[in-house]
Amino acid sequence: MTTKARLNICTTCTASSAEEATDPRHGRELFDKMVESCAKQDMPFDIRAVECLTNCKSGCSVALSGPGKWGYVYGNLDTGMIDDLCELGRRYAGTNDGIVPWRERPESLRRNVIARIPPLD
């Protein structure tokens, strides 16, 4: 069985534009809307809620990971980027090494990379 790539969404994040935390948190709203959107499609990656990505100063954050692939952390996201996150996840899952060329990333996400993490393999 092959393990799918994964989009980890921080559910404790607060949007970088928010002055204080909301209930539900912005990250939880992003996760819920992403799950809802992806349920309508056959996605080549899994979505997982995570408690904290320790990227609080960069608003809502996600991490892409997969076996043998470079990992990425993206920040300053919002629910208006759902379609672009789906596209990025599809492109990431379709790579052998996790590297989606900059020009092939959805434009709204190109400048949102916080970190790139080398694969374990």
Side-chain angles (χ1 to χ4, degrees):
M1 180 172 123
T2 304
T3 303
K4 284 182 163 182
R6 183 181 302 147
L7 178 66
N8 302 282
I9 301 176
C10 179
T11 58
T12 57
C13 283
T14 299
S16 55
S17 61
E19 293 184 18
E20 58 186 57
T22 59
D23 186 26
R25 296 281 181 111
H26 297 107
R28 171 54 68 178
E29 292 174 351
L30 180 65
F31 173 78
D32 290 344
K33 289 183 179 183
M34 188 74 183
V35 168
E36 180 183 329
S37 177
C38 290
K40 301 171 189 172
Q41 306 171 51
D42 183 23
M43 302 306 276
F45 59 90
D46 293 325
I47 302 170
R48 179 175 288 173
V50 296
E51 285 287 319
C52 184
L53 292 174
T54 315
N55 192 36
C56 303
K57 291 183 180 182
S58 295
C60 291
S61 299
V62 303
L64 281 164
S65 58
K69 296 181 184 237
W70 281 85
Y72 287 85
V73 177
Y74 283 80
N76 297 307
L77 306 175
D78 61 54
T79 56
M81 298 173 168
I82 297 288
D83 290 341
D84 287 348
L85 281 170
C86 288
E87 180 61 23
L88 179 65
R90 277 192 286 275
R91 289 181 182 266
Y92 180 84
T95 68
N96 291 325
D97 57 8
I99 298 173
V100 177
W102 190 81
R103 293 184 197 280
E104 293 179 21
R105 297 175 196 167
E107 192 169 335
S108 72
L109 301 173
R110 288 181 183 168
R111 301 201 191 288
N112 295 55
V113 175
I114 303 298
R116 186 170 102 149
I117 302 154
L120 290 175
D121 302 335

